[in-house]
Amino acid sequence: MVSAARRLFVGILSAPQAGLGAQSRWPAPAKLNLFLHVLGRRADGRHNLQTLFQILDYGDELDFVLRDDDQIVLHDALDGVAAEDNLCVRAARLVQAHMTRPRGVDIHCIKRIPMGGGLGGGSSDAATCLVALNALWGVGLDEDSLARMGLGLGADVPVFVRGRSAFAQGVGEDLTALALPEPWYCVVTPDCHVPTGEIFAAPELTRDTPPLTISGLLAHTAPVGNDCWPVVASRYPAVRRAHDSLSRFGAARMSGTGASVFLPCESRDQALHIASQMPRDWHVFVAQGLNQSPLQAMAYGLRTGV
């Protein structure tokens, strides 16, 4: 399984003891929420959720170039976001704080995951910074420590740190790894940004869905859906149009709070055919679901030399 996941992303590995300036490219894969239920609002204003995460073999890539000083320099920064507020920089500083002799890094991000699409792009980039720099700097933090650090950056970061398909509860941090089918998906994101905060603040959002058990989920004895879909569909016509377009070919669903919608397919060829029918001004890609993230496979390869 490790070798299969590793070959999904082609990169250059440099061991932690490699010379300064060596470049290392790491994957930051997208995810899908196969369902999303909102159980209730918490005292802190956040929501208790249940969802099922699946990692995809499609995503961003991050290049890390080690420096001879302690500066963390982010290239390709997002417009309107100060470097110090960027999740990648914040993640790097969290790892750097555990070093007795801090070292620096240049970070370049090759973006493929659309922003505001419910595919976890920013969270995945942050998780890759945590996992990769922990390895490249030789810090030695374990997975649990990295996941706890990631939760402080965002609710979706821990699932990318752990890198396994998982049933999630709480705000998304209580994860139970599950072995799921690994189908092909056609994923469509219209030219539309859906702010997560707006959807969870919506007064019309359903907040009382009964909780599922894992056994009930696996036995398919309880219906699942996305509680955020009615809110997004009513407020964002572009997302509804994308959902309607995919629904001509099967049971389309929305990931997270949108704007991306997806359709499980029987084969890569079928997914490619459906993708070819989508409007050219939408962000459309075909990807396979994975039970293990290529990020963890890269980290394993670096540790073991495999």
Side-chain angles (χ1 to χ4, degrees):
M1 180 176 291
V2 168
S3 60
R6 288 186 70 208
R7 66 172 175 261
L8 295 170
F9 284 82
V10 178
I12 303 171
L13 283 176
S14 58
Q17 66 270 21
L20 295 173
Q23 178 178 332
S24 180
R25 176 166 292 183
W26 290 70
K31 58 81 178 171
L32 293 175
N33 295 86
L34 300 186
F35 76 89
L36 178 59
H37 291 176
V38 182
L39 277 57
R41 195 193 296 269
R42 297 154 51 110
D44 61 6
R46 303 171 82 181
H47 290 81
N48 284 319
L49 309 172
Q50 287 187 325
T51 190
L52 188 60
F53 288 114
Q54 185 158 46
I55 305 295
L56 299 179
D57 69 344
Y58 176 93
D60 298 342
E61 291 180 294
L62 274 68
D63 284 341
F64 300 95
V65 182
L66 304 184
R67 297 172 58 99
D68 59 2
D69 56 26
D70 63 355
Q71 297 302 301
I72 295 170
V73 180
L74 176 67
H75 303 265
D76 319 301
L78 298 173
D79 292 339
V81 180
E84 292 303 311
D85 295 329
N86 186 281
L87 288 180
C88 287
V89 173
R90 292 171 59 195
R93 295 210 182 284
L94 287 173
V95 178
Q96 189 186 55
H98 288 80
M99 305 175 72
T100 55
R101 180 180 176 274
R103 298 171 68 183
V105 65
D106 286 281
I107 305 172
H108 298 263
C109 182
I110 302 169
K111 285 297 296 180
R112 298 189 184 94
I113 304 172
M115 294 180 60
L119 301 175
S123 295
S124 186
D125 293 345
T128 293
C129 285
L130 292 173
V131 172
L133 291 175
N134 180 57
L136 294 171
W137 282 336
V139 180
L141 295 169
D142 61 21
E143 183 180 287
D144 289 343
S145 298
L146 292 173
R148 284 193 296 270
M149 291 162 61
L151 183 60
L153 299 171
D156 285 350
V157 178
V159 73
F160 289 111
V161 167
R162 297 193 183 278
R164 290 175 285 276
S165 297
F167 177 71
Q169 302 187 87
V171 296
E173 86 290 358
D174 181 1
L175 300 167
T176 301
L178 296 178
L180 303 175
E182 297 182 322
W184 288 90
Y185 295 99
C186 178
V187 184
V188 175
T189 310
D191 186 14
C192 174
H193 181 103
V194 178
T196 297
E198 174 195 338
I199 304 307
F200 278 117
E204 69 269 32
L205 176 67
T206 296
R207 295 181 171 87
D208 59 356
T209 298
L212 296 173
T213 63
I214 294 178
S215 59
L217 176 67
L218 296 178
H220 304 288
T221 58
V224 296
N226 188 329
D227 289 339
C228 296
W229 166 243
V231 180
V232 176
S234 66
R235 296 188 178 202
Y236 293 89
V239 181
R240 178 181 284 278
R241 287 194 296 271
H243 183 273
D244 289 346
S245 293
L246 265 187
S247 295
R248 293 185 292 124
F249 301 94
R253 290 172 265 172
M254 185 179 74
S255 181
T257 56
S260 298
V261 294
F262 64 94
L263 180 69
C265 300
E266 294 181 359
S267 67
R268 180 174 181 269
D269 286 345
Q270 183 192 40
L272 288 170
H273 170 72
I274 295 171
S276 71
Q277 308 302 305
M278 297 296 110
R280 293 184 178 273
D281 59 339
W282 290 350
H283 186 117
V284 182
F285 66 87
V286 166
Q288 187 174 16
L290 302 173
N291 281 317
Q292 182 185 13
S293 169
L295 173 62
Q296 279 63 35
M298 292 281 284
Y300 175 84
L302 188 59
R303 291 195 306 270
T304 63
V306 174

